[in-house]
Amino acid sequence: MFNNLNFLKNQDDQEEDPAIYLSIGDLMSGLLMFFALLFISALIQLNQAQKDITEILIDKLERQLKANNIEAKVDPNTGDISLRDSILFETNSAKLNPQGEKTLQKLIPIYSKVIFETPRVKDQIERVIIEGHTSAEGKADFNMELSLNRAWQVAKYTLYKMPFSNKTHKSQLEKKIMVVGRGENDAKPGDLPTDRKVVFRIQFKGQDLSSLNQIDKQK
């Protein structure tokens, strides 16, 4: 009699196990879905915040450059500042010419003030990237070396040779600057003046370099 009852009890337990496992599985699926939605929501908020900050940056830079008659182009989507190579260098040279030095002397103090004194923008800066670019004309290895040398010469003059009235801004720039040579990687076929440039760009916190390069390819 007792053996039969134990047998029936064990049989009932075995029949209940699948239902228990199913409930646990549903619970885990629900939790995963909840955290996935939280993650997606956080990403959307982060992207919107970066978009808002970029719009603030672009507005400030455009107004300041125009007010000071500085010959530089602000990208309306990213806030990148482009200087044509002809403003800074002689053909195929990485030595800053006098016009290039004067341009940097006007540009850098304004640029530094905008990025380091604008609320929201200054707290989100991960890197200030100086990128050298060339056209697709010529050999790729020469273009890569030239682009890197030009970016480095701009950074070196900015940090170590140019008169800098605001020492705090200079120190902040020195901690944030990264020099990159892009060569002809982002250039269109031919010898286009628009591809021969040095670019100042901001990498915001949470933004990786691959996403910045992707923006270049879409232009």
Side-chain angles (χ1 to χ4, degrees):
M1 178 70 175
F2 288 112
N3 288 336
N4 290 337
L5 288 174
N6 287 334
F7 172 77
L8 291 174
K9 185 176 182 301
N10 290 336
Q11 196 172 36
D12 289 341
D13 290 342
Q14 290 173 1
E15 290 175 354
E16 290 175 0
D17 283 347
I20 293 172
Y21 293 143
L22 184 61
S23 297
I24 293 173
D26 290 342
L27 177 61
M28 293 300 294
S29 297
L31 286 173
L32 286 173
M33 181 66 71
F34 173 72
F35 286 117
L37 289 173
L38 279 181
F39 179 70
I40 293 171
S41 176
L43 283 179
I44 292 173
Q45 291 177 6
L46 178 62
N47 288 336
Q48 184 59 48
Q50 287 184 350
K51 183 179 178 182
D52 294 343
I53 293 169
T54 301
E55 289 176 354
I56 294 170
L57 176 67
I58 291 169
D59 178 64
K60 288 264 189 180
L61 288 174
E62 286 181 337
R63 286 192 285 111
Q64 289 296 323
L65 295 182
K66 184 177 180 181
N68 290 274
N69 296 315
I70 296 176
E71 191 178 348
K73 179 183 177 183
V74 181
D75 188 290
N77 299 311
T78 64
D80 296 348
I81 291 183
S82 297
L83 294 170
R84 293 281 181 87
D85 69 331
S86 57
I87 296 174
L88 301 172
F89 306 99
E90 303 303 327
T91 303
N92 292 332
S93 171
K95 182 180 179 181
L96 275 169
N97 60 34
Q99 182 187 1
E101 292 180 355
K102 290 179 182 178
T103 300
L104 292 176
Q105 288 173 17
K106 291 173 64 177
L107 170 66
I108 298 301
I110 293 170
Y111 186 66
S112 301
K113 184 174 182 179
V114 169
I115 65 176
F116 292 127
E117 293 187 10
T118 302
R120 296 184 66 187
V121 173
K122 64 177 182 178
D123 297 327
Q124 292 300 314
I125 296 175
E126 184 72 28
R127 290 280 184 271
V128 177
I129 303 171
I130 300 179
E131 285 185 350
H133 296 251
T134 71
S135 69
E137 188 79 4
K139 294 183 178 180
D141 58 344
F142 175 82
N143 287 337
M144 181 60 73
E145 184 177 2
L146 178 63
S147 68
L148 180 58
N149 286 338
R150 284 180 165 182
W152 168 236
Q153 290 303 317
V154 169
K156 185 168 69 171
Y157 182 79
T158 296
L159 294 175
Y160 308 120
K161 294 185 178 181
M162 189 185 82
F164 227 115
S165 58
N166 192 315
K167 302 300 182 183
T168 301
H169 288 171
K170 179 180 178 180
S171 177
Q172 289 171 315
L173 264 180
E174 193 168 11
K175 292 176 182 177
K176 299 290 186 181
I177 272 184
M178 182 170 70
V179 175
V180 176
R182 298 289 298 167
E184 60 187 65
N185 286 338
D186 305 314
K188 296 179 176 64
D191 187 19
L192 301 179
T194 51
D195 288 329
R196 301 194 308 267
K197 60 193 175 184
V198 172
V199 178
F200 289 78
R201 67 180 3 170
I202 302 296
Q203 177 191 3
F204 292 110
K205 292 178 180 177
Q207 189 178 31
D208 59 36
L209 292 178
S210 62
S211 68
L212 295 179
N213 294 338
Q214 208 54 39
I215 291 172
D216 275 335
K217 293 176 183 177
Q218 292 171 1
K219 290 179 184 179

